[in-house]
Coordinates of all heavy atoms in Angstrom, one line a residue:
M29 N -75.8 -35.1 -40.1 CA -74.7 -35.0 -41.2 C -74.0 -33.5 -41.1 O -74.7 -32.6 -41.2 CB -75.3 -35.3 -42.6 CG -74.3 -35.1 -43.7 SD -74.8 -34.9 -45.2 CE -75.2 -36.4 -46.0
K30 N -72.7 -33.6 -41.1 CA -72.0 -32.4 -41.1 C -71.6 -31.9 -42.6 O -71.1 -32.9 -43.2 CB -70.8 -32.5 -40.1 CG -70.1 -31.2 -39.9 CD -68.9 -31.4 -38.9 CE -68.3 -30.0 -38.5 NZ -67.3 -30.2 -37.5
I31 N -71.7 -30.8 -43.0 CA -71.3 -30.3 -44.3 C -70.0 -29.7 -44.2 O -69.5 -28.9 -43.5 CB -72.4 -29.2 -44.7 CG1 -73.8 -29.8 -44.9 CG2 -72.0 -28.7 -46.2 CD1 -74.8 -28.8 -45.3
K32 N -69.1 -30.3 -45.2 CA -67.8 -29.7 -45.2 C -67.7 -28.7 -46.4 O -68.2 -28.9 -47.4 CB -66.7 -30.9 -45.5 CG -66.6 -32.0 -44.3 CD -65.7 -32.9 -44.6 CE -65.6 -33.9 -43.5 NZ -64.5 -34.9 -43.9
T33 N -67.1 -27.6 -46.1 CA -67.0 -26.5 -46.9 C -65.5 -26.2 -47.3 O -64.7 -26.2 -46.4 CB -67.5 -25.2 -46.4 OG1 -68.9 -25.4 -46.2 CG2 -67.5 -24.1 -47.6
V34 N -65.1 -26.2 -48.5 CA -63.6 -26.0 -49.0 C -63.5 -24.6 -49.4 O -64.4 -24.2 -50.3 CB -63.2 -27.0 -49.9 CG1 -61.9 -26.7 -50.5 CG2 -63.4 -28.4 -49.5
V35 N -62.7 -23.9 -48.8 CA -62.5 -22.4 -49.3 C -61.1 -22.4 -49.9 O -60.1 -22.7 -49.2 CB -62.6 -21.5 -48.1 CG1 -62.4 -20.0 -48.6 CG2 -64.0 -21.7 -47.5
S36 N -61.0 -21.9 -51.1 CA -59.8 -21.8 -51.8 C -59.0 -20.6 -51.3 O -59.4 -19.5 -50.9 CB -60.0 -21.6 -53.4 OG -58.8 -21.4 -54.0
V37 N -57.8 -20.8 -51.2 CA -56.8 -19.7 -50.8 C -56.4 -18.8 -52.1 O -55.8 -17.8 -52.0 CB -55.5 -20.2 -50.2 CG1 -55.8 -21.0 -48.9 CG2 -54.7 -21.2 -51.2
F38 N -56.9 -19.3 -53.2 CA -56.6 -18.5 -54.4 C -57.8 -17.7 -54.9 O -58.9 -18.1 -54.7 CB -56.3 -19.5 -55.5 CG -55.0 -20.3 -55.3 CD1 -55.2 -21.6 -54.9 CD2 -53.7 -19.7 -55.3 CE1 -54.0 -22.4 -54.6 CE2 -52.7 -20.5 -55.1 CZ -52.8 -21.8 -54.7
T39 N -57.4 -16.5 -55.3 CA -58.4 -15.5 -56.0 C -58.8 -16.0 -57.4 O -57.7 -16.2 -58.0 CB -58.0 -14.1 -56.0 OG1 -57.5 -13.7 -54.6 CG2 -58.9 -13.2 -56.4
P40 N -59.9 -16.1 -57.8 CA -60.3 -16.6 -59.1 C -59.7 -15.6 -60.2 O -59.6 -14.4 -59.8 CB -61.7 -16.5 -59.1 CG -62.3 -16.1 -57.8 CD -61.1 -15.8 -56.9
V41 N -59.2 -16.1 -61.2 CA -58.8 -15.2 -62.4 C -59.9 -14.4 -63.0 O -61.0 -15.0 -63.2 CB -58.1 -16.1 -63.4 CG1 -57.7 -15.3 -64.6 CG2 -56.9 -16.9 -62.8
E42 N -59.8 -13.2 -63.1 CA -60.9 -12.4 -63.6 C -60.6 -12.3 -65.1 O -59.6 -11.7 -65.6 CB -60.8 -10.9 -63.1 CG -61.3 -10.8 -61.6 CD -62.8 -11.4 -61.4 OE1 -63.6 -11.1 -62.2 OE2 -62.9 -11.8 -60.4
L43 N -61.6 -12.9 -65.9 CA -61.5 -12.8 -67.3 C -62.6 -12.0 -67.8 O -63.7 -12.5 -67.9 CB -61.4 -14.2 -68.0 CG -60.2 -14.9 -67.7 CD1 -60.3 -16.5 -68.2 CD2 -58.9 -14.4 -68.1
P44 N -62.4 -10.7 -68.0 CA -63.5 -9.8 -68.4 C -64.3 -10.3 -69.7 O -63.6 -10.6 -70.5 CB -63.0 -8.4 -68.5 CG -61.5 -8.8 -68.9 CD -61.2 -10.1 -68.0
V45 N -65.6 -10.0 -69.7 CA -66.3 -10.3 -70.9 C -66.0 -9.0 -71.7 O -66.0 -7.9 -71.3 CB -67.7 -10.3 -70.6 CG1 -68.6 -10.4 -71.9 CG2 -68.1 -11.4 -69.7
I46 N -65.6 -9.4 -73.0 CA -65.3 -8.3 -73.9 C -66.7 -7.6 -74.5 O -67.5 -8.3 -75.1 CB -64.5 -8.8 -75.1 CG1 -63.2 -9.2 -74.7 CG2 -64.3 -7.7 -76.1 CD1 -62.2 -9.8 -75.6
D47 N -66.7 -6.3 -74.2 CA -67.9 -5.6 -74.8 C -67.5 -5.1 -76.2 O -66.5 -4.3 -76.2 CB -68.3 -4.5 -73.7 CG -69.4 -3.6 -74.2 OD1 -69.1 -2.8 -75.2 OD2 -70.5 -3.7 -73.7
N48 N -68.1 -5.4 -77.2 CA -67.8 -4.9 -78.4 C -67.8 -3.4 -78.6 O -66.9 -2.9 -79.3 CB -68.7 -5.5 -79.5 CG -68.6 -7.0 -79.7 OD1 -67.5 -7.5 -79.3 ND2 -69.6 -7.6 -80.2
G49 N -68.7 -2.7 -78.1 CA -68.7 -1.3 -78.1 C -67.6 -0.6 -77.4 O -66.8 0.4 -78.0
E50 N -67.1 -1.2 -76.2 CA -65.9 -0.6 -75.5 C -64.7 -1.0 -76.3 O -63.7 -0.2 -76.4 CB -66.0 -1.2 -74.1 CG -67.0 -0.7 -73.2 CD -66.8 -1.4 -71.8 OE1 -65.9 -2.1 -71.5 OE2 -67.8 -1.1 -71.1
L51 N -64.6 -2.1 -77.0 CA -63.5 -2.6 -77.7 C -63.4 -1.6 -78.9 O -62.3 -1.2 -79.3 CB -63.6 -4.0 -78.1 CG -62.5 -4.7 -78.9 CD1 -61.2 -4.6 -78.0 CD2 -62.8 -6.1 -79.3
A52 N -64.4 -1.3 -79.6 CA -64.3 -0.4 -80.8 C -63.9 1.0 -80.4 O -63.0 1.6 -81.0 CB -65.8 -0.3 -81.3
I53 N -64.2 1.4 -79.1 CA -63.8 2.7 -78.6 C -62.2 2.6 -78.5 O -61.4 3.4 -78.8 CB -64.6 3.2 -77.4 CG1 -65.9 3.6 -77.8 CG2 -63.8 4.4 -76.7 CD1 -66.9 3.8 -76.6
E54 N -61.8 1.5 -77.7 CA -60.5 1.4 -77.3 C -59.4 1.3 -78.7 O -58.5 1.7 -78.6 CB -60.2 0.1 -76.5 CG -58.9 -0.3 -76.1 CD -58.7 -1.7 -75.5 OE1 -59.8 -2.1 -74.8 OE2 -57.7 -2.2 -75.5
L55 N -59.9 0.6 -79.6 CA -59.2 0.4 -80.8 C -59.4 1.7 -81.8 O -58.8 1.7 -82.8 CB -59.5 -0.9 -81.5 CG -59.3 -2.2 -80.8 CD1 -59.7 -3.4 -81.5 CD2 -57.8 -2.3 -80.4
D56 N -60.4 2.5 -81.4 CA -60.6 3.7 -82.2 C -61.0 3.3 -83.7 O -60.6 4.1 -84.6 CB -59.4 4.7 -82.2 CG -59.7 6.0 -82.6 OD1 -60.9 6.5 -82.5 OD2 -58.9 6.8 -83.0
V57 N -61.9 2.4 -83.7 CA -62.5 1.9 -84.9 C -63.0 2.8 -85.8 O -62.8 3.0 -87.0 CB -63.3 0.6 -84.8 CG1 -63.8 0.2 -86.1 CG2 -62.5 -0.5 -84.1
D58 N -63.8 3.8 -85.3 CA -64.7 4.6 -86.0 C -63.8 5.7 -86.8 O -63.8 6.0 -87.9 CB -65.6 5.5 -85.2 CG -66.9 4.6 -84.9 OD1 -67.2 3.7 -85.5 OD2 -67.6 5.0 -83.8
T59 N -62.8 6.2 -86.0 CA -62.0 7.3 -86.6 C -61.0 6.6 -87.7 O -60.8 7.2 -88.7 CB -60.9 7.7 -85.5 OG1 -61.7 8.5 -84.4 CG2 -60.1 8.9 -86.0
I60 N -60.6 5.3 -87.4 CA -59.7 4.7 -88.4 C -60.4 4.4 -89.7 O -60.0 4.6 -90.7 CB -59.0 3.5 -87.7 CG1 -58.0 3.9 -86.7 CG2 -58.3 2.6 -88.8 CD1 -57.5 2.8 -85.7
A61 N -61.7 3.9 -89.4 CA -62.6 3.6 -90.5 C -62.8 4.9 -91.5 O -62.7 4.7 -92.6 CB -63.7 3.0 -90.1
K62 N -63.2 5.9 -90.8 CA -63.5 7.1 -91.6 C -62.2 7.7 -92.3 O -62.4 8.1 -93.4 CB -64.0 8.2 -90.6 CG -65.4 7.9 -90.1 CD -65.8 9.0 -89.0 CE -67.1 8.6 -88.5 NZ -67.5 9.6 -87.4
K63 N -61.1 7.5 -91.7 CA -59.9 8.1 -92.3 C -59.6 7.2 -93.6 O -59.2 7.6 -94.7 CB -58.7 8.0 -91.3 CG -57.4 8.5 -91.9 CD -56.3 8.5 -90.7 CE -55.0 8.9 -91.5 NZ -53.8 8.8 -90.5
A64 N -59.7 5.7 -93.3 CA -59.4 5.0 -94.5 C -60.5 5.2 -95.5 O -60.1 5.1 -96.8 CB -59.5 3.5 -94.0
A65 N -61.7 5.4 -95.3 CA -62.8 5.6 -96.4 C -62.4 6.8 -97.1 O -62.5 6.9 -98.3 CB -64.1 5.7 -95.6
R66 N -61.9 7.9 -96.5 CA -61.5 9.1 -97.2 C -60.4 8.9 -98.1 O -60.3 9.6 -99.1 CB -61.1 10.3 -96.2 CG -62.3 10.9 -95.5 CD -62.0 12.2 -94.8 NE -60.9 12.0 -93.6 CZ -61.3 11.6 -92.5 NH1 -62.7 11.5 -92.1 NH2 -60.5 11.4 -91.5
Q67 N -59.6 7.9 -97.8 CA -58.4 7.5 -98.6 C -58.7 6.6 -99.7 O -57.9 6.0 -100.4 CB -57.1 7.0 -97.7 CG -56.7 8.1 -96.8 CD -55.6 7.5 -95.9 OE1 -55.4 6.4 -95.7 NE2 -55.0 8.3 -95.1
G68 N -60.0 6.0 -99.6 CA -60.3 4.9 -100.5 C -59.7 3.6 -100.2 O -59.7 2.9 -101.3
I69 N -59.4 3.3 -98.9 CA -58.9 1.9 -98.8 C -59.8 1.2 -97.8 O -60.4 1.9 -97.0 CB -57.4 2.1 -98.2 CG1 -57.4 3.1 -97.0 CG2 -56.5 2.5 -99.3 CD1 -55.9 3.1 -96.4
P70 N -59.9 0.0 -97.8 CA -59.3 -0.8 -98.9 C -60.1 -0.7 -100.1 O -61.3 -0.3 -100.1 CB -59.4 -2.2 -98.2 CG -60.6 -2.3 -97.3 CD -60.6 -0.8 -96.8
R71 N -59.5 -1.1 -101.3 CA -60.1 -1.0 -102.5 C -61.3 -2.1 -102.6 O -61.2 -3.1 -101.8 CB -59.2 -1.4 -103.6 CG -58.0 -0.5 -103.6 CD -58.3 0.8 -104.6 NE -57.0 1.6 -104.6 CZ -56.9 2.8 -104.1 NH1 -57.9 3.3 -103.5 NH2 -55.8 3.6 -104.2
S72 N -62.3 -1.8 -103.3 CA -63.4 -2.7 -103.4 C -63.0 -4.1 -104.0 O -63.7 -5.2 -103.7 CB -64.6 -2.2 -104.1 OG -64.2 -1.8 -105.4
T73 N -62.0 -4.1 -104.7 CA -61.5 -5.3 -105.4 C -60.4 -6.0 -104.4 O -59.8 -7.1 -104.8 CB -60.9 -5.0 -106.7 OG1 -59.8 -4.1 -106.4 CG2 -61.8 -4.5 -107.6
A74 N -60.1 -5.5 -103.2 CA -59.1 -6.2 -102.3 C -59.4 -7.6 -101.9 O -60.6 -7.8 -101.6 CB -58.9 -5.3 -101.1
K75 N -58.4 -8.3 -101.9 CA -58.6 -9.7 -101.7 C -58.0 -10.1 -100.3 O -58.4 -11.2 -99.8 CB -58.0 -10.6 -102.7 CG -58.5 -10.4 -104.2 CD -59.0 -11.6 -104.9 CE -59.4 -11.4 -106.3 NZ -60.8 -11.2 -106.4
E76 N -57.2 -9.3 -99.8 CA -56.6 -9.4 -98.5 C -56.9 -8.3 -97.6 O -57.4 -7.1 -97.9 CB -55.1 -9.4 -98.6 CG -54.5 -10.5 -99.7 CD -54.6 -12.0 -99.0 OE1 -54.4 -12.0 -97.8 OE2 -54.8 -12.8 -99.9
P77 N -56.8 -8.6 -96.2 CA -57.0 -7.5 -95.3 C -56.1 -6.4 -95.4 O -54.9 -6.6 -95.7 CB -56.9 -8.3 -93.8 CG -56.7 -9.6 -94.2 CD -56.4 -9.8 -95.6
D78 N -56.5 -5.2 -95.2 CA -55.8 -4.0 -95.2 C -54.9 -3.9 -93.9 O -55.2 -4.8 -92.9 CB -56.5 -2.8 -95.4 CG -57.3 -2.3 -94.4 OD1 -57.7 -3.1 -93.5 OD2 -57.8 -1.1 -94.5
A79 N -54.1 -3.0 -93.8 CA -53.3 -2.8 -92.7 C -54.0 -2.5 -91.4 O -53.6 -2.9 -90.2 CB -52.1 -1.7 -92.8
N80 N -55.1 -1.8 -91.5 CA -56.0 -1.6 -90.3 C -56.5 -2.8 -89.8 O -56.5 -3.1 -88.6 CB -57.1 -0.5 -90.6 CG -56.5 0.9 -90.8 OD1 -55.5 1.3 -90.3 ND2 -57.1 1.5 -91.8
E81 N -57.0 -3.6 -90.6 CA -57.7 -4.9 -90.2 C -56.6 -5.8 -89.6 O -57.0 -6.4 -88.6 CB -58.3 -5.6 -91.3 CG -59.1 -6.7 -90.9 CD -60.0 -7.4 -92.0 OE1 -60.1 -6.8 -93.2 OE2 -60.4 -8.5 -91.8
L82 N -55.5 -5.8 -90.2 CA -54.4 -6.7 -89.7 C -53.9 -6.2 -88.3 O -53.7 -7.0 -87.3 CB -53.1 -6.6 -90.6 CG -53.4 -7.4 -91.9 CD1 -52.2 -7.1 -92.8 CD2 -53.5 -8.8 -91.7
N83 N -54.0 -5.0 -88.1 CA -53.6 -4.4 -86.8 C -54.7 -4.7 -85.8 O -54.2 -5.0 -84.6 CB -53.5 -2.7 -86.8 CG -53.0 -2.1 -85.6 OD1 -52.2 -2.7 -84.8 ND2 -53.4 -0.9 -85.3
F84 N -55.9 -4.6 -86.2 CA -57.0 -5.0 -85.2 C -56.9 -6.5 -84.8 O -57.0 -6.8 -83.6 CB -58.4 -4.7 -85.8 CG -58.8 -3.4 -86.0 CD1 -59.4 -3.0 -87.1 CD2 -58.3 -2.3 -85.2 CE1 -59.9 -1.7 -87.3 CE2 -58.5 -1.0 -85.4 CZ -59.3 -0.6 -86.5
Q85 N -56.7 -7.3 -85.8 CA -56.4 -8.6 -85.5 C -55.3 -9.1 -84.6 O -55.3 -9.8 -83.6 CB -56.2 -9.6 -86.9 CG -57.4 -9.6 -87.9 CD -57.1 -10.4 -89.1 OE1 -56.0 -10.7 -89.4 NE2 -58.1 -10.3 -90.0
S86 N -54.2 -8.3 -84.8 CA -53.1 -8.5 -84.0 C -53.3 -8.1 -82.5 O -53.0 -8.8 -81.5 CB -51.9 -7.7 -84.5 OG -50.8 -7.7 -83.6
K87 N -54.0 -6.9 -82.2 CA -54.3 -6.6 -80.9 C -55.3 -7.5 -80.3 O -55.3 -7.7 -79.1 CB -54.9 -5.1 -81.0 CG -53.9 -4.2 -81.3 CD -54.5 -2.7 -81.4 CE -53.4 -1.7 -81.7 NZ -54.0 -0.4 -81.8
L88 N -56.3 -8.0 -81.0 CA -57.2 -9.0 -80.6 C -56.6 -10.4 -80.2 O -57.0 -11.0 -79.1 CB -58.4 -9.3 -81.4 CG -59.4 -8.2 -81.7 CD1 -60.4 -8.4 -82.8 CD2 -60.2 -7.7 -80.4
K89 N -55.6 -10.8 -81.0 CA -54.9 -12.0 -80.8 C -54.1 -11.8 -79.5 O -53.9 -12.8 -78.6 CB -54.0 -12.4 -81.9 CG -54.8 -13.0 -83.0 CD -53.8 -13.3 -84.2 CE -54.7 -13.8 -85.4 NZ -53.9 -14.1 -86.5
T90 N -53.5 -10.6 -79.3 CA -52.6 -10.3 -78.0 C -53.6 -10.5 -76.9 O -53.1 -11.1 -75.8 CB -51.9 -8.9 -78.2 OG1 -51.2 -8.9 -79.3 CG2 -51.2 -8.7 -77.0
K91 N -54.6 -9.9 -76.8 CA -55.6 -9.9 -75.7 C -56.0 -11.3 -75.4 O -56.1 -11.8 -74.3 CB -56.9 -9.1 -76.1 CG -56.8 -7.6 -75.9 CD -58.1 -6.9 -76.2 CE -58.0 -5.5 -76.0 NZ -57.8 -5.2 -74.6
M92 N -56.2 -12.2 -76.5 CA -56.6 -13.5 -76.4 C -55.5 -14.3 -75.8 O -55.7 -15.1 -74.8 CB -57.0 -14.2 -77.8 CG -57.4 -15.7 -77.7 SD -57.5 -16.3 -79.3 CE -55.8 -16.3 -80.1
I93 N -54.3 -14.1 -76.2 CA -53.1 -14.8 -75.7 C -52.9 -14.6 -74.2 O -52.6 -15.4 -73.4 CB -51.8 -14.5 -76.5 CG1 -52.0 -15.2 -77.8 CG2 -50.5 -14.9 -75.9 CD1 -50.9 -14.7 -78.9
Q94 N -53.1 -13.2 -73.9 CA -52.9 -12.8 -72.5 C -54.0 -13.5 -71.6 O -53.6 -13.9 -70.5 CB -53.0 -11.3 -72.4 CG -51.9 -10.5 -73.0 CD -52.1 -9.1 -73.0 OE1 -53.2 -8.5 -73.0 NE2 -50.9 -8.2 -73.2
A95 N -55.2 -13.5 -71.9 CA -56.2 -14.2 -71.3 C -56.0 -15.6 -71.0 O -56.0 -16.3 -70.0 CB -57.5 -13.9 -71.8
K96 N -55.4 -16.3 -72.2 CA -55.1 -17.7 -72.1 C -53.9 -17.9 -71.0 O -54.0 -18.9 -70.3 CB -54.7 -18.2 -73.5 CG -54.3 -19.6 -73.6 CD -54.1 -20.1 -74.9 CE -53.5 -21.5 -74.9 NZ -52.9 -22.0 -76.2
H97 N -52.9 -17.1 -71.0 CA -51.8 -17.2 -70.2 C -52.2 -17.0 -68.8 O -51.9 -17.8 -67.8 CB -50.7 -16.3 -70.4 CG -49.9 -16.6 -71.6 ND1 -49.3 -17.9 -71.9 CD2 -49.6 -15.9 -72.9 CE1 -48.7 -18.0 -73.0 NE2 -48.9 -16.7 -73.5
R98 N -53.0 -16.0 -68.5 CA -53.6 -15.9 -67.1 C -54.4 -17.2 -66.6 O -54.3 -17.6 -65.4 CB -54.5 -14.6 -67.0 CG -53.7 -13.4 -67.0 CD -54.5 -12.1 -66.6 NE -55.8 -12.0 -67.3 CZ -55.8 -11.2 -68.6 NH1 -54.9 -10.6 -68.9 NH2 -57.1 -11.2 -69.1
S99 N -55.2 -17.7 -67.5 CA -56.0 -18.8 -67.0 C -55.1 -20.0 -66.9 O -55.3 -20.8 -65.9 CB -57.2 -19.2 -68.0 OG -56.7 -19.3 -69.3
E100 N -54.2 -20.3 -67.6 CA -53.3 -21.4 -67.5 C -52.5 -21.3 -66.3 O -52.2 -22.3 -65.7 CB -52.4 -21.5 -68.8 CG -53.2 -22.1 -70.1 CD -52.3 -22.0 -71.3 OE1 -51.2 -21.4 -71.3 OE2 -52.7 -22.7 -72.2
E101 N -52.1 -20.0 -66.0 CA -51.2 -19.8 -64.7 C -52.2 -20.2 -63.5 O -51.5 -20.9 -62.7 CB -50.7 -18.4 -64.7 CG -49.9 -18.1 -63.5 CD -49.5 -16.5 -63.6 OE1 -50.2 -15.7 -64.1 OE2 -48.3 -16.3 -62.9
A102 N -53.4 -19.8 -63.5 CA -54.1 -20.0 -62.4 C -54.4 -21.5 -62.3 O -54.4 -22.1 -61.2 CB -55.6 -19.4 -62.6
I103 N -54.6 -22.3 -63.5 CA -54.8 -23.6 -63.4 C -53.5 -24.3 -62.9 O -53.6 -25.2 -62.1 CB -55.3 -24.3 -64.8 CG1 -56.6 -23.9 -65.2 CG2 -55.2 -25.7 -64.9 CD1 -57.0 -24.1 -66.6
G104 N -52.3 -23.9 -63.3 CA -51.1 -24.5 -62.8 C -51.0 -24.3 -61.3 O -50.6 -25.2 -60.6
Y105 N -51.3 -23.1 -60.6 CA -51.3 -22.9 -59.2 C -52.2 -23.9 -58.5 O -51.9 -24.5 -57.5 CB -51.7 -21.4 -58.8 CG -50.7 -20.3 -59.3 CD1 -51.1 -19.2 -59.6 CD2 -49.4 -20.6 -59.0 CE1 -50.1 -18.2 -60.1 CE2 -48.3 -19.7 -59.3 CZ -48.8 -18.4 -59.8 OH -47.9 -17.4 -60.1
L106 N -53.5 -24.0 -59.1 CA -54.4 -24.9 -58.5 C -53.9 -26.5 -58.5 O -54.0 -27.1 -57.5 CB -55.8 -24.8 -59.1 CG -56.5 -23.5 -58.7 CD1 -57.8 -23.5 -59.7 CD2 -56.8 -23.4 -57.3
K107 N -53.3 -26.9 -59.6 CA -52.9 -28.2 -59.8 C -51.7 -28.3 -58.8 O -51.6 -29.5 -58.2 CB -52.3 -28.3 -61.2 CG -53.4 -28.7 -62.2 CD -52.7 -29.0 -63.6 CE -53.7 -29.3 -64.7 NZ -53.0 -29.4 -65.9
D108 N -50.7 -27.5 -58.7 CA -49.6 -27.5 -57.7 C -50.2 -27.6 -56.4 O -49.6 -28.5 -55.5 CB -48.7 -26.3 -57.9 CG -47.9 -26.2 -59.1 OD1 -47.9 -27.3 -59.8 OD2 -47.3 -25.2 -59.5
F109 N -51.1 -26.8 -56.0 CA -51.7 -26.8 -54.6 C -52.3 -28.1 -54.3 O -52.1 -28.7 -53.2 CB -52.7 -25.6 -54.4 CG -53.3 -25.6 -53.0 CD1 -52.7 -25.2 -52.0 CD2 -54.6 -26.0 -52.9 CE1 -53.2 -25.1 -50.7 CE2 -55.1 -26.0 -51.7 CZ -54.5 -25.5 -50.5
Y110 N -53.2 -28.7 -55.1 CA -54.0 -29.9 -54.9 C -53.2 -31.0 -54.9 O -53.5 -32.0 -54.2 CB -55.3 -29.8 -55.7 CG -56.3 -28.8 -55.3 CD1 -56.5 -27.8 -56.0 CD2 -56.9 -28.9 -54.0 CE1 -57.5 -26.8 -55.5 CE2 -57.9 -28.0 -53.6 CZ -58.2 -26.9 -54.3 OH -59.0 -26.0 -54.0
F111 N -52.2 -31.1 -55.9 CA -51.5 -32.3 -56.1 C -50.2 -32.5 -55.2 O -49.7 -33.5 -55.0 CB -51.1 -32.5 -57.5 CG -52.4 -32.8 -58.4 CD1 -52.6 -32.0 -59.5 CD2 -53.2 -34.0 -58.2 CE1 -53.7 -32.4 -60.3 CE2 -54.2 -34.1 -58.9 CZ -54.5 -33.5 -60.0
S112 N -49.9 -31.3 -54.5 CA -48.8 -31.3 -53.6 C -49.2 -31.8 -52.1 O -48.4 -32.1 -51.4 CB -48.0 -30.0 -53.6 OG -48.9 -29.0 -53.0
N113 N -50.5 -31.6 -51.9 CA -51.0 -32.0 -50.6 C -51.5 -33.4 -50.5 O -51.8 -34.1 -51.4 CB -52.0 -30.9 -50.3 CG -51.7 -29.6 -50.1 OD1 -50.5 -29.5 -49.6 ND2 -52.4 -28.6 -50.3

């Protein structure tokens, strides 16, 4: 029996695992948190996220959307390649 091997012409999409420690450094969480604490924000009675938290959420959503687009693009290339042949 002869074994057939299929080798893709496409390089797999690299979706890095997010390391929380590296992300905290990238977003400068410690410095921002200390500065906010000195200013007494957010208030202990706050019911909504403060500007810093909203900024962190925005940056994380941007990273998520970028990763999603990269993976969808790779899937599209594979679909085009396999269904056009």
Side-chain angles (χ1 to χ4, degrees):
M29 176 199 276
K30 189 173 183 177
I31 299 174
K32 294 182 180 180
T33 302
V34 177
V35 179
S36 176
V37 294
F38 298 102
T39 304
V41 175
E42 293 293 328
L43 298 174
V45 175
I46 294 178
D47 178 284
N48 291 336
E50 290 176 12
L51 185 61
I53 291 169
E54 178 185 334
L55 298 177
D56 201 19
V57 173
D58 285 341
T59 304
I60 292 170
K62 288 175 185 176
K63 183 178 176 184
R66 283 192 295 273
Q67 295 172 347
I69 52 177
R71 305 265 183 251
S72 60
T73 57
K75 303 226 185 270
E76 300 291 326
D78 69 342
N80 292 325
E81 186 174 348
L82 291 172
N83 187 35
F84 294 146
Q85 288 176 4
S86 175
K87 289 179 180 180
L88 291 172
K89 285 179 185 176
T90 299
K91 286 179 174 289
M92 178 186 67
I93 290 168
Q94 289 171 342
K96 181 180 174 188
H97 286 307
R98 283 195 305 269
S99 61
E100 287 174 348
E101 183 179 28
I103 290 169
Y105 288 140
L106 291 172
K107 283 181 182 178
D108 290 346
F109 177 76
Y110 286 110
F111 291 122
S112 66
N113 293 330

